[in-house]
Structures are given as structure tokens and as C-alpha cells.
């Protein structure tokens, strides 16, 4: 079976964008068709100013939501990144293979470093080098495919480049992975700013639907979504990004086609109403299952402990081989 790896960063509460752009595919497709690993990549949350207690809280919440969404520990491996030392071990080797220029070209580094400077914060070195850690996350498991949203494809391409470069210089160790993107709603946009991604860590949550929002909150946010200056419901991401975003969300929630759905509606109001109800019903079972799991934290701990053990067993032999290949003396 092919092997896949993907992860979610605990920098904020998981959103509808996370679910439609990645998690639902993991649940419905990937865990059934591959040897799949899904990780809460908590080390990546340390690249910016953070509250340690909040990172721990969000890490547990993210793991619980992944299970609530339908990831089955009997079918796939669910674990926390920092529980498997091989991620950090391999990350340094990736830094030794990557170049400064490659790190600085990463779009997320450019965006987040600007925001950090504007807020008067220093830019942490880890913000520059974390794509090397992301490459290690992927390569440590001999990953074939990485199901990600469009905004993360650049990082998978870097992992491919580093794998090829390492194999060429030091001998074949790593599988060269590829990114896979869902067809619909690969990038759900902010409801109040439809040219920006619906992100977990945005300070203003008015345009973000969180997976744990109650039904009334979901309806209110979608009914207040920014639309466009015209009146016609058309699917045009460039000219009408607000309406196109709603159509993408509705299509993903109902299994429809956004272009076809555009022809069904004559007003923005009816589109918003149907989108809101579709999202409420989509998220209802996730919220209910999350409440059950949150009431039994021992069960979540057991899943994460066993998942880390399995992940460690897969990664350690490959990372040990990479250490030997690059010239490090084996431990005695």
C-alpha cells in the first residue's frame, strides 16, 4: 500500500477550511486506501509567539477533533509530532541539505515574518527553518503522498527537492513524495475577507467557521458573509470572490458542483441560507462526537500513545539509515 502523511498545526481552533480542505478527505478516502499517518504537528506551533498552556490545550483539542471527524485508529495512525523524536532528529539533517535561499522563498515565511515585525516581535529562526522540519515530517515515514491544501503544496515540493538532493549526494534513503489536493474547496476563504484563506490563527474570527461553533453561530457567520457588488449569483473567483467562496463551501458540503449550483440561485440571501444549513448539518456529528470523546480523555490519551509507538517504529529505522548515510557515526 502507498503511505501518506499529513498533519494539522495547533495554532488555533480547527475550522471549516481545515475540514473541507483536508480532514474530510483523510476520513473518507485516505485512511481507507493507504497506510496513513495523521499528526498534530505541535512543534510547528512554536515558531511564533505562543502561550504554552494554549498550545497544549489546542493540541489535545485537535487530536480529539480528528478522531471525532472519523479517523479510525484501527485503520490509520494518529499521533502528536513531539511524541516521536525522529521528527526533530531528521529536521537537522534536512537543514544541512536545504539552502538559505530555499527557506527564504517560502511564502508563509514571507507573510508571517512581516506580521511579526509589524507587531514589534522578533522573527524566530524556527520560522525560517520550519520547512525543513515539515520535510522531515514527511520523509521520515517513506511517504508517497501528502494530502494538503493548495497553500501547503510549496512545502511538499521542497520536501521532494530535499529528498532528491539527499539521495543523489549520500545514497538512496528517501521516497520522493507528491502532494495531492482535493478537487472542491481545497482552499476555503474567510467569509469576511474572501481573498484570504480561512485561517485558524486569525485574530478576528467573524469570518471563520470553527468546527466547534454551535449551530446558531455558524448560521450567523455565514448569513453575514461578504458577497460582491453585483446581484447575479455567478461562480467567478476573480470578479466575485465572496459568492464563489459560498458556492465552493455549499458544493463541498452537499457533493455538488459550484458552477452548476450558481445557476440554481437568484439571490445572495437564498444562497447564504442554504449554505448555512448545509454547514450546520455537516458539522453536527463532528461536534457531538467531540463532546463524547472530550468526556473520556483517557481514551484519547490511549490512541495518541499507541499512535506514537507505531509512528516511532516506522520512522526510527529510516532516520537511523539517513544518519549513517550522511556520515554520522552510529551509536554504540
Amino acid at each position: 500500500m502507498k503511505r501518506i502523511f499529513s498533519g494539522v498545526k495547533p495554532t488555533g481552533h480547527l475550522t471549516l477550511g481545515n475540514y473541507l480542505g483536508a480532514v474530510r478527505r483523510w476520513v473518507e478516502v485516505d485512511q481507507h486506501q493507504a497506510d496513513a499517518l495523521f499528526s498534530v504537528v505541535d512543534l510547528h506551533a512554536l515558531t511564533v509567539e505562543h502561550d504554552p498552556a494554549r498550545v497544549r490545550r489546542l493540541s489535545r483539542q485537535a487530536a480529539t477533533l480528528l478522531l471525532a471527524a472519523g479517523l479510525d485508529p484501527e485503520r490509520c495512525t494518529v499521533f502528536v509530532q513531539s511524541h516521536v523524536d525522529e521528527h526533530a532528529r531528521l529536521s537537522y539533517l534536512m537543514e544541512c541539505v536545504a539552502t538559505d535561499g530555499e527557506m527564504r522563498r517560502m511564502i508563509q515565511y514571507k507573510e508571517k515574518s512581516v506580521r511579526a515585525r509589524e507587531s514589534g516581535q522578533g522573527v524566530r529562526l524556527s520560522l525560517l527553518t520550519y520547512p525543513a522540519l515539515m520535510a522531515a515530517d514527511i520523509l521520515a515515514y517513506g511517504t508517497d503522498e501528502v494530502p494538503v491544501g493548495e497553500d501547503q503544496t510549496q512545502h511538499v515540493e521542497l520536501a521532494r527537492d530535499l529528498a532528491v538532493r539527499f539521495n543523489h549526494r549520500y545514497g538512496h534513503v528517501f521516497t520522493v513524495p507528491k502532494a495531492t489536493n482535493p478537487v472542491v474547496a481545497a482552499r476555503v476563504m474567510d467569509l469576511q475577507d474572501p481573498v484570504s484563506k480561512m485561517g485558524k490563527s486569525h485574530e478576528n474570527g467573524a469570518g471563520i467557521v470553527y468546527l466547534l461553533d454551535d449551530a446558531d453561530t455558524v448560521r450567523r457567520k455565514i448569513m453575514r458573509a461578504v458577497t460582491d457588488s453585483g446581484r447575479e449569483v455567478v461562480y467567478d473567483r476573480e470578479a466575485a470572490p465572496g459568492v464563489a467562496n459560498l458556492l465552493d463551501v455549499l458544493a463541498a458540503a452537499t457533493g455538488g458542483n459550484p458552477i452548476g449550483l450558481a445557476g440554481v440561485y437568484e439571490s445572495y440571501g437564498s444562497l447564504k441560507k442554504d449554505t448555512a444549513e448545509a454547514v450546520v448539518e455537516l458539522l453536527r456529528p463532528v461536534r457531538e462526537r467531540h463532546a463524547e470523546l472530550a468526556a473520556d480523555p483517557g481514551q484519547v490519551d490511549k490512541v495518541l500513545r499507541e499512535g506514537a509507538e507505531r509512528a516511532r517504529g516506522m520512522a526510527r529505522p529510516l532516520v537511523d539509515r539517513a544518519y549513517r548515510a550522511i556520515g554520522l557515526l552510529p551509536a554504540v
Side-chain angles (χ1 to χ4, degrees), residues 29-66:
V29 178
D30 295 322
Q31 69 171 338
H32 300 283
Q33 297 184 355
D35 182 6
L37 300 100
F38 302 107
S39 180
V40 177
V41 287
D42 53 344
L43 294 175
H44 291 290
L46 311 184
T47 60
V48 294
E49 194 69 29
H50 64 277
D51 172 24
R54 185 170 186 265
V55 171
R56 285 191 292 270
R57 185 170 64 252
L58 290 176
S59 295
R60 170 170 287 280
Q61 184 187 90
T64 306
L65 277 168
L66 292 181

Side-chain angles (χ1 to χ4, degrees), residues 89-99 102 132 162 165-166 169-170 326 328:
R89 289 180 63 207
L90 185 55
S91 177
Y92 183 71
L93 297 197
M94 292 299 100
E95 289 182 18
C96 294
V97 175
T99 67
E102 286 173 319
L162 296 182
R165 189 177 306 153
F166 188 103
R169 291 179 179 174
Y170 306 114
I326 205 170
L328 298 177

Side-chain angles (χ1 to χ4, degrees), residues 106-222:
M106 294 290 109
I107 294 172
Q108 291 201 17
Y109 170 72
K110 293 178 180 179
E111 294 175 348
K112 291 182 179 180
S113 61
V114 168
R115 289 201 295 269
R117 292 188 183 98
E118 289 176 347
S119 65
Q121 299 175 3
V123 180
R124 299 187 181 195
L125 180 61
S126 57
L127 184 61
L128 176 65
T129 61
Y130 89 90
L133 174 58
M134 187 175 290
D137 297 338
I138 296 166
L139 299 180
Y141 297 100
T143 302
D144 299 295
E145 295 183 6
V146 187
V148 291
E150 293 174 357
D151 60 317
Q152 294 294 333
T153 301
Q154 184 186 36
H155 291 97
V156 182
E157 290 301 316
L158 175 65
R160 288 175 55 85
D161 292 343
L162 296 182
V164 170
R165 189 177 306 153
F166 188 103
N167 290 346
H168 177 73
R169 291 179 179 174
Y170 306 114
H172 190 277
V173 173
F174 298 115
T175 299
V176 180
K178 67 177 182 179
T180 56
N181 303 123
V183 176
V184 177
R187 198 175 192 195
V188 178
M189 313 306 279
D190 191 294
L191 296 172
Q192 292 298 314
D193 181 15
V195 297
S196 298
K197 186 184 74 165
M198 184 181 285
K200 297 188 299 295
S201 53
H202 289 186
E203 292 184 5
N204 181 5
I208 303 170
V209 174
Y210 297 104
L211 296 188
L212 294 179
D213 280 345
D214 61 51
D216 288 342
T217 300
V218 172
R219 292 187 183 98
R220 183 172 64 253
K221 288 179 176 180
I222 294 178

